[in-house]
Amino acid sequence: MAYDDILQHLGGFGRYQRRIYVLLCLPAISCAFHKLAGVFLLAAPDYRCRLPYELENATYSMPPERLTMAYPIDTLTKKYSTCNYLDANFTEDYWSGGIPAGGVRPCDHWVYDRSKFESSTVTDWDMVCDRNWLRASADSLFMVGVMLGSIGFGYLSDKYGRKPIFFASLVLQVVFGVLAGVAPEFFTYTLARMVVGATTSGVFLVAYVIAMEMVGPNDRLYAGVVCMMFFSVGYMLTAGFAYFIHGWRMLQIALTLPGILFLCYWWFVPESARWLLSNGRPAEAIKLILKAADCNKLTVPQDALDKLLEEDKTQQQQENANEPKPSLLDIFKHPNLRQKALLIFFDWFVNSLTYYGLSWNTNNLGGNPLLNFVISGAVEIPAYSFLLVTLNRWGRRTILCGCMIFAGTMLLLTMIVPASEQWLIVVLAMLGKMAITSSYGTVYVFSAEQFPTVIRNVALGAASTSARVGGILAPYFNLLGDYWQPLPLLIFGALAFIGGVLSLMLPETHNQKLPETIADGENFGKRKTIPGGGDGDATGTDRDIERTAEEMQVLSKPGPSGEPDELVGTEEDREKY
């Protein structure tokens, strides 16, 4: 569009754009606080049943000989049960007798190991044993909020503008973040956290969109990936807060209050000029453009501004024509588009499930949970740096498939690691996390290039919804680690491996002309047959050769009638494909 031409006169990614871009990246840190805080807010420390004779201030440690006399062996985990205790009087005669009681009774109170976590929602509200599904549900409902927020705030930002929705989300995030910290019971806490989850979409995604809309096509890859790196910085800083603040209530409030600082952005961050242009407000857009040009000490030619106004008039005429617009259903009416869409939706589901599953599973990997968490965030920096170096060189499909298969392999290998080698399980899990972070970053770009322009936004919205479903289910898969530690990693690994292999069926999009219409999308990557091109058979008839749509673009040129009906290139060129 004409606005991309304007950016060239503004110096591309000039001083003005860089300043606003950095300001918009900083809220990603705050959003990371909220998305990853559940690891510490919902931390489940080691625990045991509180025996009838023990007081509320009982300590977790107990002599091994008493453990044998107090708790039965869990048949599934082969460890002392944490949900039942032996039905005995626990007198001195019983302890000295050496013969455990035969019956068992369910626990109604627990004693927690507070050496790692002083307090969490789990210890305050006893979300263990038959209530452990509550802690998984808390994270799951947080992701439900993220999904609803991406739909709701995305619609509102398109309708009312990026800037007002960004600040409305910030205010809601601070209010409900504090409310979650003072919540008296589980229901209020979970509801407040669900609203906070919705606001992360309003803050991060809207800020991300503003940042992307103010840079040109050549800078979008770098701008998008660097924005993700700010999220990774927030990821690691969350552990810093948890290191110094051991009570979950103060931790939740401390992670929320930095959001207040971003309210001052109202005087510094402008509305998106692209949004103003697309909503019939070119005068305001031109005012912002001239302000940016002045800051960058450049001048925008008048003919470029006139082109903006002309484009706006053309757009208004098209909207007044009331022509029916393609919908998401059109994807499923065409076999090639349908296959690609289903593969992409599955990739988003698996990437989100594995990414958040691994991020929230650091407490179950053994060793120091804070160190595991920091490493889990730190590996994202080289993962994103890898994308900057390779994505425009090796192609999207190669990176997506390779990273998903590598992640799946690393996670599946944890199955054969002895339980005594906890460090190796952590290493493999972190390698898997690094690879899935790279593939998650790739699937954003790859998906946008697969769908035709006329339905790209709605199709990406559907793909994002698939990702949110993965995030919603991830906490429940992590619960399986209570029964067998590697099980969540094996599930994530198997799905990632399958997703990587299936993605080989998607066409490469790097350096390809993007599809514009539904017909373009259906033909993109589709196998076509070219008569001839092979050695003759016994009857002298040439065999047919199959080509993809991309190959057809390379192997054909316009004929006399203007149609691409003449093959060009040497026989060696054709054999290349």
Side-chain angles (χ1 to χ4, degrees):
M1 64 183 296
Y3 186 75
D4 287 332
D5 297 331
I6 289 287
L7 285 175
Q8 297 177 7
H9 298 294
L10 294 177
F13 201 46
R15 174 187 173 188
Y16 177 83
Q17 290 93 327
R18 289 195 298 270
R19 184 180 66 191
I20 303 300
Y21 173 77
V22 171
L23 289 176
L24 290 170
C25 285
L26 291 175
I29 297 175
S30 180
C31 290
F33 289 166
H34 293 293
K35 282 196 172 183
L36 281 306
V39 173
F40 304 105
L41 301 176
L42 294 159
D46 292 334
Y47 59 93
R48 63 176 178 82
C49 288
R50 197 175 85 198
L51 300 176
Y53 70 90
E54 291 184 303
L55 302 177
E56 289 187 8
N57 61 352
T59 58
Y60 171 76
S61 60
M62 179 178 280
E65 60 274 11
R66 288 210 167 189
L67 285 173
T68 304
M69 300 293 291
Y71 303 107
I73 297 295
D74 190 306
T75 56
L76 186 62
T77 63
K78 307 302 181 184
K79 299 178 181 178
Y80 289 112
S81 175
T82 55
C83 300
N84 298 285
Y85 63 93
L86 295 176
D87 188 7
N89 290 328
F90 299 109
T91 61
E92 287 300 325
D93 290 339
Y94 174 76
W95 291 119
S96 60
I99 301 176
V104 297
R105 300 191 65 177
C107 300
D108 50 11
H109 295 91
W110 289 264
V111 179
Y112 298 95
D113 180 4
R114 300 185 185 273
S115 61
K116 293 181 180 179
F117 302 100
E118 182 179 304
S119 74
S120 72
T121 55
V122 172
T123 62
D124 280 12
W125 299 323
D126 288 333
M127 293 190 292
V128 294
C129 295
D130 59 348
R131 286 167 53 87
N132 63 355
W133 62 273
L134 289 175
R135 72 174 190 264
S137 297
D139 269 337
S140 183
L141 289 172
F142 178 89
M143 293 305 293
V144 170
V146 174
M147 179 176 68
L148 296 177
S150 63
I151 297 171
F153 286 114
Y155 169 78
L156 292 173
S157 68
D158 284 340
K159 185 176 179 64
Y160 297 107
R162 317 303 193 206
K163 185 174 178 177
I165 300 306
F166 173 75
F167 284 97
S169 302
L170 273 175
V171 172
L172 288 173
Q173 188 173 97
V174 171
V175 171
F176 282 87
V178 173
L179 178 60
V182 299
E185 33 71 36
F186 175 78
F187 177 79
T188 305
Y189 163 83
T190 303
L191 182 62
R193 283 276 296 166
M194 187 166 71
V195 175
V196 170
T199 63
T200 60
S201 296
V203 174
F204 178 70
L205 291 182
V206 174
Y208 182 86
V209 168
I210 297 175
M212 291 299 99
E213 289 181 340
M214 66 185 295
V215 301
N218 295 333
D219 298 311
R220 284 180 196 146
L221 172 62
Y222 297 95
V225 172
V226 171
C227 189
M228 297 295 182
M229 288 183 175
F230 275 82
F231 185 90
S232 301
V233 171
Y235 192 135
M236 292 181 282
L237 287 177
T238 306
F241 277 83
Y243 179 80
F244 292 103
I245 305 173
H246 301 151
W248 75 269
R249 293 186 184 276
M250 286 303 301
L251 176 61
Q252 169 63 32
I253 294 173
L255 292 172
T256 300
L257 292 181
I260 297 176
L261 299 175
F262 300 125
L263 294 177
C264 68
Y265 276 18
W266 183 266
W267 293 277
F268 302 103
V269 175
E271 180 58 87
S272 167
R274 287 185 192 268
W275 182 86
L276 292 170
L277 288 169
S278 64
N279 283 269
R281 295 162 63 177
E284 296 174 64
I286 290 175
K287 184 178 179 180
L288 289 177
I289 290 168
L290 294 177
K291 181 180 179 181
D294 182 63
C295 181
N296 292 339
K297 302 186 184 306
L298 296 170
T299 302
V300 180
Q302 185 60 44
D303 59 338
L305 297 176
D306 293 339
K307 187 178 179 181
L308 272 183
L309 296 174
E310 184 62 31
E311 188 178 80
D312 178 65
K313 292 179 181 178
T314 303
Q315 180 178 331
Q316 294 297 325
Q317 292 172 357
Q318 291 175 346
E319 291 178 355
N320 293 333
N322 292 325
E323 296 180 359
K325 296 181 179 179
S327 68
L328 184 63
L329 294 177
D330 290 316
I331 290 178
F332 299 98
K333 296 177 182 177
H334 302 82
N336 188 38
L337 259 179
R338 180 172 59 245
Q339 174 181 294
K340 290 188 293 183
L342 291 175
L343 288 172
I344 289 169
F345 294 164
F346 182 71
D347 281 342
W348 278 74
F349 169 81
V350 171
N351 274 277
S352 179
L353 174 72
T354 307
Y355 176 85
Y356 285 107
L358 292 175
S359 298
W360 291 333
N361 194 48
T362 51
N363 288 340
N364 297 328
L365 294 178
N368 188 320
L370 274 175
L371 180 60
N372 292 345
F373 187 87
V374 172
I375 295 173
S376 182
V379 297
E380 294 190 2
I381 302 299
Y384 289 130
S385 301
F386 172 76
L387 292 185
L388 291 177
V389 175
T390 62
L391 203 55
N392 284 337
R393 294 184 180 182
W394 297 354
R396 283 63 159 131
R397 184 176 61 183
T398 301
I399 301 300
L400 179 67
C401 299
C403 288
M404 291 186 73
I405 291 173
F406 181 81
T409 303
M410 293 299 101
L411 297 178
L412 289 173
L413 285 176
T414 60
M415 179 173 55
I416 61 175
V417 176
S420 58
E421 304 294 334
Q422 287 291 329
W423 67 272
L424 185 53
I425 293 177
V426 173
V427 169
L428 293 174
M430 292 304 107
L431 288 174
K433 172 66 187 306
M434 180 170 63
I436 209 66
T437 299
S438 290
S439 68
Y440 206 175
T442 304
V443 79
Y444 274 86
V445 179
F446 196 36
S447 302
E449 295 173 344
Q450 291 285 346
F451 293 115
T453 301
V454 291
I455 56 168
R456 185 166 293 136
N457 283 343
V458 68
L460 287 177
S464 180
T465 301
S466 302
R468 302 290 79 79
V469 173
I472 291 168
L473 294 178
Y476 294 105
F477 282 104
N478 281 339
L479 274 184
L480 300 175
D482 292 347
Y483 305 101
W484 187 37
Q485 186 189 40
L487 187 54
L489 303 182
L490 299 183
I491 295 174
F492 300 148
L495 290 173
F497 191 91
I498 293 170
V501 172
L502 291 178
S503 296
L504 292 170
M505 300 170 64
L506 292 169
E508 178 58 74
T509 59
H510 181 46
N511 287 336
Q512 298 295 331
K513 181 180 179 182
L514 298 187
E516 298 289 341
T517 65
I518 294 292
D520 292 340
E522 173 64 12
N523 290 327
F524 186 71
K526 194 173 184 180
R527 304 302 296 189
K528 292 189 176 183
T529 302
I530 306 175
D535 296 333
D537 57 16
T539 62
T541 304
D542 288 341
R543 295 194 304 267
D544 290 345
I545 298 178
E546 287 188 340
R547 306 288 188 216
T548 65
E550 305 95 282
E551 294 163 4
M552 292 287 288
Q553 292 177 8
V554 177
L555 293 174
S556 61
K557 72 175 184 180
S561 62
E563 296 297 329
D565 55 6
E566 181 182 350
L567 291 177
V568 295
T570 64
E571 192 68 29
E572 182 180 354
D573 294 330
R574 299 183 192 179
E575 290 176 356
K576 177 182 177 182
Y577 293 94

